[in-house]
Amino acid sequence: MTKLQTMTRRDTFLFAAGAAGTAAAATVAAPTPSLAMGLPKEFNWDDPAERVRVQAAVKGSSREETIYSFFRLHLYGYTHSGNLIPFATMSNLNVAEWRRKPNGNQAATVFEAGYYTKFDSHETLEVWENPVTGEKRKPWRFIGGPLSVEIGPDGVVTGEGATLKPERLQVQVFGDTVMFPTASAFSFPNPMRPEQYPKESAGDTYYWDSHYVYFATMKDVLNRDLTSIPSHIQFQNLVSWHPWWGMGGHEGRTWGRAYGSKINTLDDVPKDYRKGLEDQTPEIFDTGNWTAFREDFDEYMEDRHS
């Protein structure tokens, strides 16, 4: 088991929204009462049970049910000079199975999968031409899970040894829109050592920064009859080169910009993207038989050794 797999099992949630060079490894935090500034009294943010309910309902569900989220993630390369360079786009599907814990917290088992298209296109990316090196490479699909998450009154519950401690940001209210932001940053020793993988390794240390925002309407947030509040999600991340890009030895990271939303059923995945997911990552439609932990970075390394 690599350091990345150990970290992922313990510390991540949602993307976990598209980890492989995406959002996959971002833990969602929520503000404590002191950070819930300017909210109407109807929020009752001083009540721990209410904080669990609102956070779980916005990000997933406050009862036992399966919640789906779909994202499109545009990935750019930044080499510490010039402008961002369009690389590719990922279509990502997240499946989260929510349940109530005896301690009153809300927990979920999360599965994610994604595949690459040409930048801002519906067309599946079969061969990617690196705009920096000119090399043609085969895209590596994203897959991750099952991951475990637990939401308590003050956000995601992490163990004492957790590497990732997300920064708590204030809930923002603009008109009728309520925004739940979070920021996280972590790093770990890169399991793909530069001396072993000079073309693929991003260096001795792997870096990951993610910034999420969940958007919901005030009316829905205040509606205690809604156990799953309709929400849209937008995030950016700054991540060390994934090995499949073949950017070893080049300064920089990928910068990702994603937008998506919770959806009611798998039928709500746009048909062009659903077909791509069915072709590239069929496991995400059969999570009942997905029991062993899987992670795209580890699988890439295993493939390199086979």
Side-chain angles (χ1 to χ4, degrees):
M1 181 182 298
T2 71
K3 171 64 177 178
L4 180 59
Q5 181 171 330
T6 304
M7 174 277 301
T8 304
R9 285 180 185 268
R10 185 179 61 191
D11 297 340
T12 66
F13 171 52
L14 286 186
F15 268 155
T22 77
T27 297
V28 177
T32 57
S34 62
L35 288 173
M37 306 292 289
L39 297 178
K41 62 182 180 180
E42 290 88 350
F43 263 86
N44 194 18
W45 207 248
D46 290 332
D47 181 357
E50 183 71 354
R51 298 206 303 275
V52 172
R53 182 194 72 81
V54 171
Q55 295 173 78
V58 168
K59 294 158 185 160
S61 175
S62 61
R63 67 179 176 91
E64 184 173 332
E65 65 176 321
T66 298
I67 298 296
Y68 307 101
S69 300
F70 179 75
F71 303 82
R72 286 278 283 169
L73 172 67
H74 300 305
L75 288 158
Y76 301 78
Y78 182 64
T79 60
H80 295 172
S81 65
N83 294 114
L84 295 171
I85 305 168
F87 269 17
T89 296
M90 176 187 284
S91 295
N92 180 281
L93 180 61
N94 178 291
V95 179
E97 299 170 353
W98 289 89
R99 63 193 180 278
R100 177 62 58 88
K101 296 195 67 176
N103 63 3
N105 291 349
Q106 194 72 357
T109 301
V110 181
F111 306 83
E112 286 192 300
Y115 74 100
Y116 292 92
T117 65
K118 292 182 179 180
F119 188 85
D120 198 26
S121 167
H122 302 298
E123 185 178 347
T124 299
L125 189 61
E126 302 290 348
V127 177
W128 181 68
E129 184 172 344
N130 187 318
V132 176
T133 67
E135 181 186 16
K136 293 183 178 180
R137 299 183 64 86
K138 180 181 178 181
W140 191 258
R141 68 177 189 163
F142 162 65
I143 197 161
L147 305 173
S148 297
V149 62
E150 179 179 343
I151 292 182
D154 297 322
V156 165
V157 178
T158 57
E160 292 183 2
T163 304
L164 182 59
K165 298 294 185 182
E167 178 185 354
R168 295 166 178 169
L169 303 176
Q170 290 184 15
V171 172
Q172 299 288 317
V173 179
F174 295 166
D176 189 44
T177 301
V178 187
M179 289 158 279
F180 297 81
T182 184
S184 63
F186 65 97
S187 61
F188 53 91
N190 190 350
M192 295 196 75
R193 309 302 303 160
E195 57 273 17
Q196 294 177 281
Y197 306 94
K199 183 181 289 189
E200 298 160 308
S201 175
D204 293 327
T205 304
Y206 206 87
Y207 296 96
W208 206 312
D209 293 83
S210 295
H211 298 257
Y212 276 77
V213 184
Y214 284 75
F215 299 83
T217 66
M218 179 71 74
K219 176 183 176 182
D220 287 342
V221 171
L222 296 178
N223 184 352
R224 289 173 175 78
D225 292 331
L226 281 178
T227 57
S228 181
I229 295 172
S231 62
H232 301 287
I233 309 103
Q234 197 273 341
F235 70 87
Q236 295 86 28
N237 59 28
L238 189 64
V239 183
S240 294
W241 308 120
H242 192 286
W244 86 258
W245 299 117
M247 288 291 288
H250 292 270
E251 293 291 325
R253 305 185 199 179
T254 52
W255 184 82
R257 176 174 181 261
Y259 34 83
S261 66
K262 290 161 62 175
I263 56 178
N264 293 322
T265 71
L266 291 174
D267 291 335
D268 292 329
V269 177
K271 64 178 183 178
D272 288 334
Y273 303 134
R274 173 157 182 164
K275 183 179 186 307
L277 287 162
E278 289 173 341
D279 291 343
Q280 301 289 321
T281 60
E283 301 92 331
I284 197 64
F285 299 99
D286 187 23
T287 56
N289 291 314
W290 180 348
T291 56
F293 178 80
R294 302 188 61 183
E295 202 283 322
D296 68 291
F297 199 110
D298 284 335
E299 293 185 358
Y300 184 89
M301 290 186 64
E302 291 171 4
D303 182 77
R304 284 283 277 105
H305 288 293
S306 62

PDB file of all heavy atoms in Angstrom, residues 8-22:
ATOM      1  N   THR A   8      -5.404   8.511   1.386  1.00  0.00           N
ATOM      2  CA  THR A   8      -6.734   8.616   0.810  1.00  0.00           C
ATOM      3  C   THR A   8      -7.757   7.899   1.678  1.00  0.00           C
ATOM      4  O   THR A   8      -8.837   8.409   1.928  1.00  0.00           O
ATOM      5  CB  THR A   8      -6.742   8.027  -0.608  1.00  0.00           C
ATOM      6  OG1 THR A   8      -5.762   8.692  -1.395  1.00  0.00           O
ATOM      7  CG2 THR A   8      -8.098   8.198  -1.259  1.00  0.00           C
ATOM      8  N   ARG A   9      -7.458   6.725   2.142  1.00  0.00           N
ATOM      9  CA  ARG A   9      -8.380   5.984   2.985  1.00  0.00           C
ATOM     10  C   ARG A   9      -8.761   6.801   4.218  1.00  0.00           C
ATOM     11  O   ARG A   9      -9.891   6.774   4.670  1.00  0.00           O
ATOM     12  CB  ARG A   9      -7.731   4.681   3.469  1.00  0.00           C
ATOM     13  CG  ARG A   9      -7.635   3.577   2.442  1.00  0.00           C
ATOM     14  CD  ARG A   9      -6.962   2.384   3.096  1.00  0.00           C
ATOM     15  NE  ARG A   9      -6.727   1.305   2.162  1.00  0.00           N
ATOM     16  CZ  ARG A   9      -7.585   0.311   1.965  1.00  0.00           C
ATOM     17  NH1 ARG A   9      -8.731   0.305   2.578  1.00  0.00           N
ATOM     18  NH2 ARG A   9      -7.292  -0.656   1.129  1.00  0.00           N
ATOM     19  N   ARG A  10      -7.833   7.538   4.768  1.00  0.00           N
ATOM     20  CA  ARG A  10      -8.016   8.155   6.066  1.00  0.00           C
ATOM     21  C   ARG A  10      -8.554   9.567   5.999  1.00  0.00           C
ATOM     22  O   ARG A  10      -9.302   9.993   6.866  1.00  0.00           O
ATOM     23  CB  ARG A  10      -6.669   8.153   6.799  1.00  0.00           C
ATOM     24  CG  ARG A  10      -6.724   8.652   8.222  1.00  0.00           C
ATOM     25  CD  ARG A  10      -5.348   8.592   8.840  1.00  0.00           C
ATOM     26  NE  ARG A  10      -4.405   9.435   8.120  1.00  0.00           N
ATOM     27  CZ  ARG A  10      -3.099   9.410   8.326  1.00  0.00           C
ATOM     28  NH1 ARG A  10      -2.592   8.580   9.182  1.00  0.00           N
ATOM     29  NH2 ARG A  10      -2.308  10.208   7.638  1.00  0.00           N
ATOM     30  N   ASP A  11      -8.181  10.312   4.981  1.00  0.00           N
ATOM     31  CA  ASP A  11      -8.358  11.752   5.052  1.00  0.00           C
ATOM     32  C   ASP A  11      -9.300  12.366   4.044  1.00  0.00           C
ATOM     33  O   ASP A  11      -9.573  13.547   4.138  1.00  0.00           O
ATOM     34  CB  ASP A  11      -7.000  12.454   4.846  1.00  0.00           C
ATOM     35  CG  ASP A  11      -6.011  12.117   5.926  1.00  0.00           C
ATOM     36  OD1 ASP A  11      -6.449  11.685   7.000  1.00  0.00           O
ATOM     37  OD2 ASP A  11      -4.813  12.284   5.701  1.00  0.00           O
ATOM     38  N   THR A  12      -9.776  11.658   3.057  1.00  0.00           N
ATOM     39  CA  THR A  12     -10.426  12.365   1.968  1.00  0.00           C
ATOM     40  C   THR A  12     -11.925  12.189   1.915  1.00  0.00           C
ATOM     41  O   THR A  12     -12.484  11.250   2.460  1.00  0.00           O
ATOM     42  CB  THR A  12      -9.849  11.934   0.619  1.00  0.00           C
ATOM     43  OG1 THR A  12     -10.179  10.579   0.411  1.00  0.00           O
ATOM     44  CG2 THR A  12      -8.357  12.117   0.569  1.00  0.00           C
ATOM     45  N   PHE A  13     -12.573  13.110   1.217  1.00  0.00           N
ATOM     46  CA  PHE A  13     -14.018  13.054   0.991  1.00  0.00           C
ATOM     47  C   PHE A  13     -14.349  13.806  -0.274  1.00  0.00           C
ATOM     48  O   PHE A  13     -13.898  14.902  -0.474  1.00  0.00           O
ATOM     49  CB  PHE A  13     -14.745  13.693   2.175  1.00  0.00           C
ATOM     50  CG  PHE A  13     -16.211  13.883   1.929  1.00  0.00           C
ATOM     51  CD1 PHE A  13     -16.992  12.827   1.507  1.00  0.00           C
ATOM     52  CD2 PHE A  13     -16.795  15.115   2.118  1.00  0.00           C
ATOM     53  CE1 PHE A  13     -18.336  13.003   1.286  1.00  0.00           C
ATOM     54  CE2 PHE A  13     -18.140  15.300   1.900  1.00  0.00           C
ATOM     55  CZ  PHE A  13     -18.913  14.242   1.488  1.00  0.00           C
ATOM     56  N   LEU A  14     -15.207  13.231  -1.091  1.00  0.00           N
ATOM     57  CA  LEU A  14     -15.759  13.851  -2.273  1.00  0.00           C
ATOM     58  C   LEU A  14     -14.702  14.315  -3.268  1.00  0.00           C
ATOM     59  O   LEU A  14     -14.167  15.394  -3.129  1.00  0.00           O
ATOM     60  CB  LEU A  14     -16.591  15.057  -1.895  1.00  0.00           C
ATOM     61  CG  LEU A  14     -17.941  14.750  -1.261  1.00  0.00           C
ATOM     62  CD1 LEU A  14     -18.710  16.013  -1.073  1.00  0.00           C
ATOM     63  CD2 LEU A  14     -18.708  13.749  -2.048  1.00  0.00           C
ATOM     64  N   PHE A  15     -14.639  13.712  -4.206  1.00  0.00           N
ATOM     65  CA  PHE A  15     -13.679  14.176  -5.133  1.00  0.00           C
ATOM     66  C   PHE A  15     -12.368  14.171  -4.515  1.00  0.00           C
ATOM     67  O   PHE A  15     -11.719  15.115  -4.755  1.00  0.00           O
ATOM     68  CB  PHE A  15     -13.824  15.616  -5.486  1.00  0.00           C
ATOM     69  CG  PHE A  15     -14.677  15.656  -6.662  1.00  0.00           C
ATOM     70  CD1 PHE A  15     -15.484  16.550  -7.181  1.00  0.00           C
ATOM     71  CD2 PHE A  15     -14.627  14.643  -7.432  1.00  0.00           C
ATOM     72  CE1 PHE A  15     -16.179  16.510  -8.344  1.00  0.00           C
ATOM     73  CE2 PHE A  15     -15.319  14.669  -8.618  1.00  0.00           C
ATOM     74  CZ  PHE A  15     -16.086  15.605  -9.003  1.00  0.00           C
ATOM     75  N   ALA A  16     -12.953  13.872  -2.651  1.00  0.00           N
ATOM     76  CA  ALA A  16     -12.467  12.830  -2.911  1.00  0.00           C
ATOM     77  C   ALA A  16     -12.786  13.208  -4.274  1.00  0.00           C
ATOM     78  O   ALA A  16     -12.113  13.765  -4.852  1.00  0.00           O
ATOM     79  CB  ALA A  16     -12.264  11.496  -2.556  1.00  0.00           C
ATOM     80  N   ALA A  17     -14.586  14.944  -5.183  1.00  0.00           N
ATOM     81  CA  ALA A  17     -15.096  15.213  -6.198  1.00  0.00           C
ATOM     82  C   ALA A  17     -14.103  15.198  -6.868  1.00  0.00           C
ATOM     83  O   ALA A  17     -13.439  15.744  -6.876  1.00  0.00           O
ATOM     84  CB  ALA A  17     -15.829  16.268  -6.326  1.00  0.00           C
ATOM     85  N   GLY A  18     -13.311  13.946  -7.724  1.00  0.00           N
ATOM     86  CA  GLY A  18     -12.465  13.729  -8.833  1.00  0.00           C
ATOM     87  C   GLY A  18     -11.038  13.770  -8.523  1.00  0.00           C
ATOM     88  O   GLY A  18     -10.295  14.563  -9.080  1.00  0.00           O
ATOM     89  N   ALA A  19     -10.544  12.921  -7.719  1.00  0.00           N
ATOM     90  CA  ALA A  19      -9.201  13.071  -7.187  1.00  0.00           C
ATOM     91  C   ALA A  19      -8.141  13.097  -8.260  1.00  0.00           C
ATOM     92  O   ALA A  19      -7.451  14.065  -8.417  1.00  0.00           O
ATOM     93  CB  ALA A  19      -8.878  11.980  -6.192  1.00  0.00           C
ATOM     94  N   ALA A  20      -7.974  12.095  -9.086  1.00  0.00           N
ATOM     95  CA  ALA A  20      -6.818  11.949  -9.952  1.00  0.00           C
ATOM     96  C   ALA A  20      -6.514  13.208 -10.731  1.00  0.00           C
ATOM     97  O   ALA A  20      -6.821  13.344 -11.885  1.00  0.00           O
ATOM     98  CB  ALA A  20      -7.059  10.830 -10.929  1.00  0.00           C
ATOM     99  N   GLY A  21      -5.835  14.109 -10.108  1.00  0.00           N
ATOM    100  CA  GLY A  21      -5.583  15.379 -10.751  1.00  0.00           C
ATOM    101  C   GLY A  21      -6.804  16.246 -10.651  1.00  0.00           C
ATOM    102  O   GLY A  21      -6.885  17.276 -11.286  1.00  0.00           O
ATOM    103  N   THR A  22      -7.793  15.856  -9.812  1.00  0.00           N
ATOM    104  CA  THR A  22      -8.999  16.640  -9.661  1.00  0.00           C
ATOM    105  C   THR A  22      -9.195  16.975  -8.210  1.00  0.00           C
ATOM    106  O   THR A  22      -8.270  16.918  -7.440  1.00  0.00           O
ATOM    107  CB  THR A  22     -10.210  15.847 -10.156  1.00  0.00           C
ATOM    108  OG1 THR A  22     -10.557  14.897  -9.157  1.00  0.00           O
ATOM    109  CG2 THR A  22      -9.924  15.160 -11.444  1.00  0.00           C
TER     110      THR A  22
END
